Amino acid sequence: MKFLLLASLAASLVSAVVVPRKANYDGYKVVRLDVGNDLARVESLIQTLALKTWNGGPKQDSEVDVVVPADKVSEFDSSTADLSSSIMHENLGASIAQETDYPVYAIGSANSTWFNSYHPYADHIQFLNDLKNSYPSNSEIVTIGNSLQGRPITGIHFYGTGLKNTKPAVVFHGTVHAREWITTMVTEYFAYSFLSGFASNAAIRTLLNKYDFYIFPVVNPDGFVYTQTNDRLWRKNRQTTSGSSCLGHDINRNWNYQWSTPGGSSTNPCAEDFRGRAAADAPETVVLANFVNKLAASAQKLKLYIDYHSYSQLFMTRKSYGYSCSIVTANNAEYQSLAQGVVAAIKAVYGTVFQAGPICPTIYQVSGSSVDYVTDVTKAHTARIRLDAELFWRPAIQGLDSVWAPDYCFLISNGDHHVLFDLGTRRDWENGPPAFVKILQAHGKVEVKKNVSDILDSDGSGLGITSSDISAIIWSHHHFDHTGDPSTFPRRTTLVVGEGFHRHLRPGYPTNSAAMILDSDTAGRFVHEVDFNLDGMKPTVAGFRAIDFFHDGSFYLLDAPGHSHGHICGLARVTKAPDTFIFMGADACHHPGLLRPSPYLPLPRVVTPSPIPRFGENYCPGSALKSIHPQNSAKEPFFKISEKMFPDQQGGQETVDKIIKLDASPEVFVIMAHDASLEGHIDVFPESINGWHAQGSKSRTRWLFCKDFENSFSGMKIPDFT
């Protein structure tokens, strides 16, 4: 805070800075009270004496840790004389003084002695740099942005052998709440243990060879520094709020998800859980959100995210969200099993007892939290599915048994008309048609974060297109990973389907117990079945029978038989001068290796960027990829379609052959629904993909699918392909 003093005689302007008074906790007592059946009495006492608690509010038959100022100790002691209690700190000020007696850190000594005491903020940054310098082959320092006061939010990124930034990402961070110093040390201990143990510990080596770890010990550096200089118990950042003299926003109530849900945060700037005036108005929140969003949309993806807090020994999960004690999340059984496994493992090693449970009922309601936000972050896809190679393509290539793939859908806008090409997988896929659910449970695996309607309706980019603005949904075909949940859209939204839909696929379940769609998918909705022979006309585009959807040459539906009844592809013009197009391939094939190489697009002598890490980042000999090609060919696709998932195999191969020609055109970007090689390399909603040609997206990603063949080189002595 600054004040200005105008001196009347000298007429000079003087600026001065007000230095906050250092908090003094001398004589404060911290007491653990056994609430028992006296909940109302304990609540009244805490309210009357305006006391703070360290583990949430008091609960029936539980314990509450109460901070008692020096001038209220006598009254508190007399009021609780008949209650069971124990002293945690007889003099809180003395305890603070003891733990802030920092030792001198010797630069370059990143070893286990670091964890014997707490340290000043500058030493934490030095420790991370020393750790990186000790293990330069497996780590690097990363900064993801700055705090309000300009301090870099600094972390360490560590990894195993092979290319960094290519494996699924794990993010740990601590000290969101400034006073929670132990979380700084815990996250640093992870980094130290993993890096120091990489060479000698097989379990650590396996993890680091499978995942990239990003650890940020202090994500609220301004608040952390303030706890070391002025107030050990400060919680928030150091942000001002218009209209209030109180400082600080609670970063873990400021995330742009369920931010304003009542009961999970405070609107009072003086409260410790003040959520801010607007969602994500704290710079530290924005920095963290941008980082996890970038990872989630990249080829790495975000595999695990843990936000470390103190105090208490809790491992809290997502049975319910933080903002609600009643809404149950997807994959609840899996999360509870994992949480119980973690708690059991900690107890087995150290004997320390942690409690596992969902956030809201375990501790208290929390809205605008990082965990809820990250849970529902999705940018690149609505779902991920596992594709078994033998079902979708042949012949087999050693080392490629299956791939985890995205589930691409498309939002197509023509003026005020907005249509969707496919809906991906519905979030509650287990409530789909039993015939499909049974197949999926037996042979597949799927991960779904959001319905397409949820993605549209929760978009905060300002694009302004919601589920109510969609005039039509186009199903490329009837399989579960494309039909989504049309019932989440208004009934006025038309459903467009391929030829033979009414004859082969209706009625749905439960009217027809063996149906592959639901009655609710079409209930109360106009279902338009396309006719590629309307009025005897048979227009074609690139060899496909075609329908001009908007009647202006901007978007065509294409008849693409093979994979299922009435399978449809799409071709959209996205720019003029030059004319460039997006080809929406749906499930005409399931891997780019069915399209490339080809007589029109042969394997080059050098593939760059390299899809195979062992050859380096920028160089992969085309002859190396040719050596694992089933036909040892540089001009034939690696695969053909498999008869197992293509009942019309002849029609399916003819469809693929047409796409191969389009794929070779510099003006056409072919995107198949499950092309994993594109993840993190193309713009996704809410960004537009229209600029793909100018950005060079096609040429840059053309051979990235060959990364799926990496295991084919395992154990092979790499010859000189130059």
Side-chain angles (χ1 to χ4, degrees):
M1 180 184 295
K2 293 186 177 181
F3 68 87
L4 299 177
L5 173 64
L6 184 61
S8 58
L9 294 179
S12 60
L13 198 61
V14 180
S15 175
V17 177
V18 175
V19 178
R21 182 168 57 91
K22 188 168 184 176
N24 183 1
Y25 293 100
D26 290 344
Y28 277 57
K29 181 185 285 189
V30 183
V31 179
R32 176 165 290 173
L33 276 181
D34 185 355
V35 177
N37 294 320
D38 295 307
L39 177 61
R41 176 184 168 190
V42 172
E43 286 180 330
S44 176
L45 177 64
I46 290 173
Q47 184 176 3
T48 300
L49 298 182
L51 305 177
K52 292 183 178 180
T53 61
W54 278 359
N55 57 343
K59 296 180 181 180
Q60 190 83 8
D61 297 320
S62 66
E63 295 174 329
V64 61
D65 300 340
V66 184
V67 182
V68 187
D71 60 350
K72 297 179 180 178
V73 167
S74 177
E75 184 177 357
F76 177 85
D77 286 346
S78 62
S79 299
T80 59
D82 59 332
L83 295 178
S84 176
S85 65
S86 58
I87 304 299
M88 302 180 69
H89 294 278
E90 186 67 50
N91 184 340
L92 181 59
S95 298
I96 291 173
Q98 183 178 4
E99 74 170 5
T100 54
D101 183 16
Y102 311 123
V104 175
Y105 174 64
I107 295 176
S109 58
N111 55 50
S112 61
T113 62
W114 170 261
F115 303 100
N116 294 337
S117 62
Y118 290 117
H119 304 273
Y121 173 70
D123 285 357
H124 285 282
I125 302 301
Q126 185 63 52
F127 174 80
L128 292 181
N129 279 279
D130 289 346
L131 198 57
K132 182 265 296 183
N133 292 335
S134 298
Y135 305 97
S137 299
N138 300 100
S139 65
E140 63 181 356
I141 296 298
V142 290
T143 56
I144 57 174
N146 292 334
S147 68
L148 176 72
Q149 296 177 352
R151 293 183 175 89
I153 295 178
T154 305
I156 187 166
H157 170 208
F158 50 95
Y159 37 85
T161 55
L163 293 180
K164 62 186 178 183
N165 303 321
T166 60
K167 302 178 181 71
V170 173
V171 175
F172 296 163
H173 67 68
T175 329
V176 166
H177 293 143
R179 63 194 179 198
E180 297 171 4
W181 291 5
I182 190 65
T183 66
T184 311
M185 306 300 289
V186 167
T187 51
E188 287 170 346
Y189 188 74
F190 267 107
Y192 170 76
S193 298
F194 273 51
L195 284 169
S196 63
F198 178 74
S200 59
N201 188 306
I204 289 175
R205 196 158 52 248
T206 297
L207 281 171
L208 287 188
N209 285 334
K210 190 173 183 180
Y211 303 105
D212 273 25
F213 285 77
Y214 300 84
I215 289 186
F216 299 89
V218 183
V219 297
N220 178 10
D222 299 346
F224 183 68
V225 168
Y226 190 75
T227 64
Q228 298 193 322
T229 58
N230 290 82
D231 186 352
R232 175 63 182 86
L233 300 185
W234 184 259
R235 169 183 165 103
K236 301 179 285 184
N237 71 0
R238 295 295 296 165
Q239 193 166 353
T240 60
T241 299
S242 177
S244 174
S245 60
C246 293
L247 294 181
H249 294 184
D250 185 341
I251 298 172
N252 202 39
R253 302 295 188 276
N254 191 243
W255 290 67
N256 192 15
Y257 185 79
Q258 298 293 333
W259 170 79
S260 59
T261 300
S265 62
S266 176
T267 59
N268 179 2
C270 299
E272 290 192 327
D273 60 347
F274 174 52
R275 68 190 187 195
R277 292 296 193 205
D281 66 357
E284 297 85 357
T285 307
V286 174
V287 167
L288 287 170
N290 287 343
F291 179 69
V292 295
N293 286 345
K294 181 180 178 181
L295 284 177
S298 73
Q300 286 184 268
K301 301 304 172 192
L302 184 56
K303 184 67 174 179
L304 175 65
Y305 173 91
I306 298 181
D307 179 359
Y308 281 88
H309 287 264
S310 63
Y311 118 146
S312 295
Q313 291 170 185
L314 305 171
F315 193 88
M316 293 184 288
T317 61
R318 298 171 44 230
K319 176 183 177 182
S320 61
Y321 290 88
Y323 71 85
S324 170
C325 288
S326 59
I327 300 177
V328 177
T329 62
N331 303 328
N332 172 46
E334 181 180 2
Y335 274 91
Q336 297 310 306
S337 175
L338 288 170
Q340 293 296 337
V342 170
V343 167
I346 293 173
K347 184 178 180 180
V349 176
Y350 299 108
T352 309
V353 178
F354 274 69
Q355 177 186 350
I359 295 170
C360 187
T362 299
I363 185 167
Y364 41 62
Q365 185 183 354
V366 178
S367 56
S369 74
S370 62
V371 173
D372 286 353
Y373 180 92
V374 173
T375 294
D376 279 2
V377 162
T378 179
K379 292 288 184 182
H381 49 74
T382 61
R384 289 178 64 78
I385 64 172
R386 189 182 69 190
L387 302 176
D388 290 331
E390 64 176 356
L391 294 178
F392 296 98
W393 56 83
R394 59 178 176 85
I397 288 184
Q398 183 179 358
L400 178 59
D401 300 319
S402 64
V403 296
W404 274 101
D407 205 351
Y408 287 120
C409 315
F410 297 84
L411 171 64
I412 303 157
S413 297
N414 186 330
D416 293 331
H417 298 284
H418 309 289
V419 302
L420 288 166
F421 186 87
D422 278 339
L423 293 181
T425 306
R426 61 188 292 152
R427 182 172 182 175
D428 61 337
W429 59 267
E430 64 276 8
N431 293 325
F436 255 138
V437 172
K438 184 178 180 180
I439 294 172
L440 185 59
Q441 290 173 332
H443 302 289
K445 190 172 182 180
V446 62
E447 295 176 355
V448 188
K449 292 184 177 180
K450 283 186 177 182
N451 289 324
V452 168
S453 57
D454 297 328
I455 294 175
L456 292 174
D457 294 340
S458 63
D459 173 43
S461 69
L463 187 63
I465 301 174
T466 67
S467 59
S468 62
D469 298 314
I470 302 301
S471 59
I473 297 165
I474 302 165
W475 275 357
S476 65
H477 60 300
H478 68 281
H479 290 172
F480 76 95
D481 51 327
H482 296 262
T483 55
D485 187 357
S487 70
T488 60
F489 291 83
R491 290 191 175 184
R492 65 177 180 276
T493 302
T494 299
L495 181 61
V496 180
V497 296
E499 287 184 334
F501 177 85
H502 293 291
R503 182 171 70 255
H504 294 291
L505 299 169
R506 297 189 76 178
Y509 178 86
T511 303
N512 175 7
S513 61
M516 295 295 190
I517 64 169
L518 296 172
D519 284 331
S520 61
D521 292 338
T522 59
R525 188 181 307 282
F526 177 64
V527 180
H528 173 65
E529 181 176 319
V530 300
D531 183 358
F532 288 101
N533 296 312
L534 187 64
D535 297 328
M537 298 178 64
K538 297 183 179 180
T540 62
V541 172
F544 293 92
R545 293 193 301 161
I547 291 175
D548 186 350
F549 189 84
F550 291 120
H551 307 290
D552 61 2
S554 64
F555 177 46
Y556 290 92
L557 298 183
L558 308 177
D559 182 28
H563 184 52
S564 71
H565 293 296
H567 187 280
I568 298 171
C569 292
L571 182 68
R573 184 194 310 270
V574 293
T575 65
K576 291 184 177 181
D579 289 341
T580 63
F581 302 84
I582 293 288
F583 181 86
M584 290 155 266
D587 277 2
C589 67
H590 293 75
H591 193 278
L594 287 112
L595 306 176
R596 296 170 221 135
S598 72
Y600 321 102
L601 198 64
L603 274 171
R605 187 180 68 84
V606 175
V607 176
T608 184
S610 171
I612 308 298
R614 64 169 51 199
F615 290 110
E617 295 187 33
N618 298 311
Y619 176 87
C620 175
S623 53
L625 297 173
K626 180 183 175 184
S627 73
I628 63 167
H629 192 294
Q631 307 302 323
N632 193 33
S633 173
K635 295 184 178 181
E636 297 177 62
F638 283 94
F639 306 118
K640 298 287 186 181
I641 60 173
S642 170
E643 68 278 2
K644 293 182 180 180
M645 291 300 290
F646 286 80
D648 180 3
Q649 192 168 12
Q650 179 179 345
Q653 193 59 56
E654 289 175 355
T655 293
V656 170
D657 290 342
K658 295 172 187 176
I659 299 174
I660 287 173
K661 293 181 180 179
L662 281 173
D663 186 54
S665 169
E667 290 76 35
V668 181
F669 194 2
V670 172
I671 301 180
M672 310 308 296
H674 305 304
D675 186 350
S677 69
L678 299 180
E679 289 187 273
H681 299 285
I682 59 174
D683 288 327
V684 294
F685 183 86
E687 304 298 326
S688 170
I689 198 171
N690 289 14
W692 69 266
H693 189 269
Q695 296 165 2
S697 300
K698 177 174 180 174
S699 59
R700 191 174 63 251
T701 60
R702 180 176 292 141
W703 302 106
L704 292 183
F705 73 89
C706 295
K707 186 179 186 300
D708 292 340
F709 307 145
E710 182 176 358
N711 290 337
S712 302
F713 293 97
S714 179
M716 180 189 299
K717 182 179 180 181
I718 302 300
D720 184 4
F721 288 104
T722 59

